[in-house]
């Protein structure tokens, strides 16, 4: 065989290998190739990493970009069986769960546009059998066995998704704990970009009546030289405190921001703190609020990693803890400190800091200052009840991550009404808005509520822009009650406006050349809760995208046989019980 022919063969093999990588093939795990890349014909770029800090939860998987389009082929990552199917307007939307008994794991594929035909038929049958648009089906192993690389569905943008992508997870087989899919070597993006350090904060702390009290927070700008960072001057620290690092990660080929895998603090070469995000239990996902420094994380466009451990935070995130990660120094004492962060792909950045003990101590705020009206110390091992005129809160023993001064304060005599809500009570500050909650607290606010509005009663909470947002709750005992998952400024209101329905077609349209009919739907405040569509008096499935505000019905032969007029009725209800109904006709 001549050299020219050999060259052609080698070039063909190389081109094929590159094509397989581009299509997602060959991106097998570094753990012996147990897993296949879960999607084909994509570049392998990610839009979100594992463990990123989201609102009240860690991100439980990775988001794989699908190049701005839907319909990419999704395949089973390993041998196993489809153990669960979900069809929902929120969350992961259309999702498939595959259990891999021989590996002791489960993989999850979310935000799909459609399932493969036999799986889709099983979901359709369940929806019609139960007359429910949202279904969550658990399946026996023999129902849908799958092989590694076998097609199971197609990527999309369903559920709570703001752009086409595949959400992919690796979990333990029981589904209760999610694992870092990148560190497990299953889906490793191309990334040689070290994470970025933005701002370093130091927070002095002390205790008062058993409560950790912040005395001062100082911020320091970090100067970058490659992957090394320094401060312009010595960092002044107190006798006891901790650092907060505002940081973010980047990956090759994208402008997205990602989370941090590891953060380590060394004082005089001794490691005193290390955080790692190898996985988490879903029951503990709200711990993101104390792994982060919550007052900064609330409105940050990066991660504000708290380089110390809060008492009630699960231990599993920390591999090393000396004195809880606190750092202090005597007056004028100097200490060399290294703070290091690492991303999922092993890229590392570090900051070299000289800390100097503050010569003059800062006074602790007085107990009278901290103990505002109607304030008590709420612990993490006892129930605390607080009350003021018109409002009561109950703080269970499990509600807080650490003891705190808790209060309920009447801010004004009347909640300001607007186009979205009818104000019915005074406005109250329920704890500090920067208090992270581990579990719910009971909030009851009295209000003068007309009988006609009792069904529409809810609790509204001030959002970051100063407006009102629906929090939940219901009428109870002469007011509004909620098991609140967030602290903040709250009031009783009533959502009295019904949702709106707008058909996206003309009166009595001829649909014989179309496969779907669409409606634009919206609600002014509490959001759409239930929805049903009947054609010729029979229940039919309707798909809802809350992000887009669109409902759609896909025609099937059983409901629209022949070329004749059909009647349709769409009925939707918001979370405060207001209902809207649309009735019309179409030809098919």
């Amino acid at each position: 065989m001549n050299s020219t022919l050999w060259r052609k063969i080698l070039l063909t093999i190389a081109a094929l290998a590159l094509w397989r990588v581009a299509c997602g093939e060959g991106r097998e795990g570094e753990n012996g190739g147990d897993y296949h890349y879960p999607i084909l014909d994509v570049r392998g770029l990610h839009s979100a990493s594992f463990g990123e800090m989201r609102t009240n939860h860690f991100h439980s998987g990775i988001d794989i970009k699908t190049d701005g389009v839907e319909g990419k082929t999704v395949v089973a990552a390993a041998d196993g069986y489809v153990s669960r199917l979900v069809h929902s307007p929120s969350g992961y939307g259309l999702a498939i769960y595959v259990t891999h008994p021989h590996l002791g794991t489960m993989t999850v594929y979310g935000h799909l546009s459609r399932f493969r035909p036999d799986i889709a038929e099983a979901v359709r049958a369940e929806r019609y059998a139960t007359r429910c648009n949202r279904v969550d089906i658990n399946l026996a192993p023999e129902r849908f066995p799958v092989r590694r690389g076998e097609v199971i569905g197609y990527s999309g943008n369903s559920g709570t998704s703001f752009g086409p992508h595949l959400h992919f997870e690796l979990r333990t087989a029981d589904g209760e704990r999610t694992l870092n899919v990148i560190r497990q070597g299953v889906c490793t993006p191309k990334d040689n970009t070290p994470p970025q350090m933005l701002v370093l904060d130091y927070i002095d702390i002390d205790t008062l009546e058993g409560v950790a009290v912040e005395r001062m927070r100082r911020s320091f700008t970090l100067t970058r030289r490659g992957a090394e960072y320094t401060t312009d001057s010595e960092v002044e620290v107190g006798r006891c405190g901790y650092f907060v690092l505002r940081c973010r990660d980047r990956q090759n080929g994208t402008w997205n921001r990602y989370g941090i895998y590891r953060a380590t603090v060394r004082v005089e070469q001794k490691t005193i703190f290390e955080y790692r995000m190898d996985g988490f239990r879903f029951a503990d996902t709200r711990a993101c609020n104390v792994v982060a420094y919550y007052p900064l994380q609330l409105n940050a466009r990066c991660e504000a990693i708290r380089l110390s451990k809060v008492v009630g935070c699960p231990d599993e995130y920390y591999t090393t803890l000396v004195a809880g990660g606190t750092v202090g120094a005597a007056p004028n004492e100097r200490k060399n400190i290294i703070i290091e962060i690492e991303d999922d792909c092993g890229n590392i950045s570090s900051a070299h800091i000289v800390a100097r003990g503050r010569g003059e101590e800062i006074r602790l705020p007085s107990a009278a200052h901290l103990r505002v009206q109607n304030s008590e110390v709420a612990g993490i091992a006892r129930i605390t009840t607080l009350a003021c005129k018109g409002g009561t809160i109950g703080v269970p023993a499990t509600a807080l991550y650490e003891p705190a001064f808790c209060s309920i304060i009447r801010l004004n005599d009347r909640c300001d009404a607007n186009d979205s809500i009818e104000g019915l009570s005074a406005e109250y500050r329920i704890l500090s808005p920067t208090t992270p909650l581990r579990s719910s607290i009971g909030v009851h606010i009295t209000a003068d509520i007309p009988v006609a509005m009792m069904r529409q009663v809810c609790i509204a909470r001030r959002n970051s822009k100063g407006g009102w947002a629906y929090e939940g709750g219901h009428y109870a005992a002469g007011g509004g009650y909620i098991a609140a998952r967030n602290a903040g400024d709250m009031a009783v209101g009533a959502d009295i406006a019904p949702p709106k329905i707008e058909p996206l077609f003309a009166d009595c349209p001829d649909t014989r050349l179309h496969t779907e009919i669409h409606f634009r739907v919206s609600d002014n405040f509490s959001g759409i809760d239930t929805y049903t569509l009947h054609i010729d008096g029979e229940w039919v499935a309707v798909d809802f995208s809350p992000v887009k505000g669109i409902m759609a019905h896909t025609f099937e032969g059983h409901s629209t046989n022949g070329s004749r007029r059909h009647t349709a009725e769409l009925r939707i209800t918001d979370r405060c019980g207001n209902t809207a109904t649309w009735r019309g006709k179409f030809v098919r």
Side-chain angles (χ1 to χ4, degrees):
M1 192 177 294
N2 61 43
S3 59
T4 302
L5 183 57
W6 269 115
R7 192 180 302 112
K8 289 181 178 179
I9 292 173
L10 291 173
L11 288 172
T12 301
I13 292 172
L16 180 60
L18 288 172
W19 178 85
R20 292 183 68 228
V21 169
C23 293
E25 301 175 32
R27 285 196 187 89
E28 299 162 354
E30 297 169 0
N31 51 356
D34 289 332
Y35 297 94
H36 192 289
Y37 201 71
I39 185 167
L40 307 184
D41 192 28
V42 296
R43 290 184 293 164
L45 301 178
H46 297 180
S47 56
S49 62
F50 179 83
E52 288 180 2
M53 295 181 192
R54 304 286 181 87
T55 303
N56 291 327
H57 69 280
F58 291 112
H59 188 233
S60 55
I62 59 171
D63 291 344
I64 302 174
K65 293 190 176 191
T66 56
D67 306 327
V69 299
E70 300 182 28
K72 299 287 187 177
T73 302
V74 175
V75 299
D79 293 353
Y81 64 93
V82 176
S83 54
R84 183 181 174 195
L85 295 168
V86 175
H87 191 300
S88 171
S90 57
Y92 296 162
L94 276 64
I96 297 176
Y97 297 67
V98 178
T99 296
H100 314 287
H102 67 298
L103 297 172
T105 60
M106 171 191 293
T107 48
V108 183
Y109 314 77
H111 305 304
L112 304 179
S113 61
R114 55 193 170 97
F115 305 113
R116 79 180 191 198
D118 57 338
I119 295 175
E121 176 55 30
V123 172
R124 190 203 71 81
E126 180 72 12
R127 296 177 81 188
Y128 277 88
T130 59
R131 296 198 169 200
C132 186
N133 289 303
R134 314 177 196 204
V135 294
D136 189 336
I137 314 167
N138 292 309
L139 301 168
E142 63 272 13
R143 186 73 182 276
F144 293 113
V146 293
R147 302 291 293 177
R148 180 178 179 277
E150 182 177 341
V151 176
I152 56 175
Y154 300 89
S155 70
N157 190 27
S158 60
T160 308
S161 173
F162 298 90
H165 71 280
L166 174 69
H167 176 87
F168 178 67
E169 293 180 22
L170 180 68
R171 300 183 180 184
T172 54
D174 60 12
E176 294 183 1
R177 178 181 169 82
T178 185
L179 306 173
N180 190 325
V181 67
I182 297 178
R183 297 298 293 192
Q184 293 283 329
V186 178
C187 295
T188 306
K190 292 181 179 179
D191 179 19
N192 59 8
T193 305
Q196 300 173 350
M197 296 181 167
L198 304 175
V199 179
L200 182 68
D201 301 275
Y202 181 80
I203 300 171
D204 287 89
I205 56 171
D206 208 328
T207 57
L208 180 65
E209 298 183 29
V211 176
V213 176
E214 295 181 6
R215 297 190 292 180
M216 181 179 183
R217 176 168 66 86
R218 299 185 65 205
S219 300
F220 303 91
T221 301
L222 293 163
T223 301
R224 176 183 177 183
R225 293 180 180 85
E228 303 290 328
Y229 293 78
T230 58
T231 53
D232 294 334
S233 59
E234 294 177 336
V235 173
E236 196 175 65
V237 300
R239 292 186 179 273
C240 185
Y242 60 88
F243 288 105
V244 173
L245 181 65
R246 287 180 255 179
C247 53
R248 65 188 175 206
D249 187 35
R250 298 286 194 187
Q251 292 180 5
N252 296 8
T254 77
W255 289 101
N256 299 84
R257 295 182 295 270
Y258 306 91
I260 300 302
Y261 164 66
R262 174 180 64 87
T264 302
V265 180
R266 299 186 184 92
V267 178
E268 301 295 350
Q269 301 301 315
K270 180 183 178 181
T271 300
I272 66 159
F273 172 89
E274 185 166 88
Y275 157 80
R276 287 178 183 264
M277 178 41 70
D278 287 309
F280 60 89
R281 294 172 61 247
F282 284 98
D284 294 331
T285 190
R286 289 178 67 90
C288 66
N289 293 333
V290 285
V291 166
Y293 180 65
Y294 192 60
L296 286 176
Q297 191 65 52
L298 276 170
N299 299 304
R301 292 178 60 82
C302 61
E303 292 197 331
I305 304 290
R306 177 174 173 150
L307 302 178
S308 76
K309 179 183 178 298
V310 173
V311 175
C313 185
D315 292 333
E316 68 170 315
Y317 307 121
Y318 305 100
T319 59
T320 304
L321 276 173
V322 177
T326 56
V327 176
N332 297 315
E333 179 186 11
R334 285 175 170 78
K335 292 184 177 180
N336 294 302
I337 297 173
I338 297 176
I339 298 174
E340 191 173 88
I341 57 175
E342 179 184 357
D343 65 21
D344 288 318
C345 295
N347 302 297
I348 295 173
S349 294
S350 59
H352 299 256
I353 298 160
V354 176
R356 178 176 57 82
R358 186 182 298 108
E360 183 178 341
E361 283 298 304
I362 300 171
R363 287 187 178 183
L364 187 70
S366 68
H369 174 73
L370 293 169
R371 275 190 173 282
V372 295
Q373 56 179 311
N374 305 303
S375 174
E376 296 287 345
V377 175
I380 57 175
R382 65 177 183 274
I383 299 173
T384 305
T385 301
L386 306 171
C388 72
K389 180 183 177 182
T392 305
I393 60 174
V395 184
T398 59
L400 301 177
Y401 285 98
E402 61 182 340
F405 288 101
C406 295
S407 62
I408 174 170
I409 304 170
R410 188 182 179 109
L411 297 178
N412 56 52
D413 293 333
R414 195 71 176 175
C415 155
D416 55 306
N418 56 36
D419 294 339
S420 297
I421 185 175
E422 184 77 19
L424 298 174
S425 78
E427 182 179 352
Y428 295 84
R429 174 154 292 172
I430 309 300
L431 312 182
S432 165
T434 58
T435 301
L437 297 181
R438 185 174 190 171
S439 61
S440 302
I441 60 174
V443 178
H444 183 268
I445 299 173
T446 59
D448 183 13
I449 302 172
V451 174
M453 290 186 184
M454 287 182 178
R455 190 182 177 192
Q456 285 82 28
V457 163
C458 64
I459 299 295
R461 186 168 67 95
R462 289 280 186 191
N463 58 30
S464 59
K465 297 180 180 179
W468 290 108
Y470 175 80
E471 192 72 7
H474 53 82
Y475 172 81
Y481 175 83
I482 185 174
R485 299 302 304 272
N486 300 288
D489 300 345
M490 303 184 193
V492 177
D495 176 0
I496 58 176
K500 295 180 180 180
I501 304 173
E502 177 190 356
L504 297 179
F505 48 84
D507 292 339
C508 199
D510 186 340
T511 66
R512 285 173 290 181
L513 297 179
H514 303 282
T515 58
E516 296 180 331
I517 52 173
H518 298 84
F519 303 85
R520 179 175 288 112
V521 297
S522 61
D523 186 67
N524 68 311
F525 189 66
S526 60
I528 293 168
D529 185 26
T530 63
Y531 46 96
T532 56
L533 176 64
H534 288 83
I535 293 179
D536 297 334
E538 294 185 11
W539 185 95
V540 296
V542 59
D543 299 326
F544 177 36
S545 171
V547 174
K548 298 176 183 176
I550 298 294
M551 287 187 181
H553 168 68
T554 301
F555 289 118
E556 299 182 50
H558 72 280
S559 62
T560 54
N561 286 323
S563 177
R564 61 185 180 87
R565 287 196 174 193
H566 301 270
T567 61
E569 179 183 281
L570 176 63
R571 182 182 179 89
I572 62 177
T573 304
D574 68 18
R575 287 184 283 184
C576 285
N578 302 297
T579 298
T581 303
W582 174 89
R583 296 181 181 87
K585 296 181 179 181
F586 62 91
V587 174
R588 190 167 183 80

